[in-house]
Amino acid sequence: MANRIGIGIVGTLLLLAGLYALWARDAHPDLAILDPGFFAAHIWAYIIAAAVLPAAAAIATRWLIFALALHRYGTRHGTGTAMLGVALQGLDRVDKLTVRVVCGERTRIHVRCRPGASLGEVARRLDQQAITRVRGVLGPSADLPVLVRLHVTRL
């Protein structure tokens, strides 16, 4: 939803700038809409433009990267992660847990363990209770297939 709002705001601003440029050109045909000599005459305008343009480019690039990565990695589900933590509570050396719903296609569960963790016990709890608990809080995404990734870190 935020992507659509951002695109709508940028599109509206570009449309208004284009309409203003057309209106200014018709109202004053003898004046240039953007005069490069203005920046040479007013150094403060050059400094502001030099600061604003890279910042706008960085913000646009960041937004584009996140918009493209959202489809691949999905959105975090905090309540699902909490239920996963409850199901795996008491297991030693379980390091990180995440639950993500990827574009209404699947649910991704990632469990990271440190060396020496009882992987058999982790897999048994995931199979018996953790996935059921996570699906219980997902709501409309509860029927999606679940992909579980179990990762063991090195020392």
Side-chain angles (χ1 to χ4, degrees), residues 80 83 99 107 109 129-147:
M83 286 295 111
V99 175
T107 302
I109 296 176
Q129 54 182 288
I131 294 174
T132 307
R133 284 181 185 241
V134 169
R135 281 188 167 165
V137 296
L138 286 178
S141 303
D143 295 333
L144 296 176
V146 177
L147 172 67

Side-chain angles (χ1 to χ4, degrees), residues 112-141:
R112 186 173 72 188
C113 300
R114 288 179 277 163
S118 174
L119 298 180
E121 182 65 21
V122 171
R124 186 185 66 74
R125 285 209 193 168
L126 281 169
D127 190 36
Q128 290 179 355
Q129 54 182 288
I131 294 174
T132 307
R133 284 181 185 241
V134 169
R135 281 188 167 165
V137 296
L138 286 178
S141 303

Side-chain angles (χ1 to χ4, degrees), residues 55-79:
I59 290 170
T61 303
R62 182 180 184 273
W63 171 78
L64 180 63
I65 288 170
F66 279 119
L68 293 175
L70 184 63
H71 177 72
R72 181 173 173 198
Y73 298 113
T75 55
R76 293 180 184 160
H77 199 282
T79 310

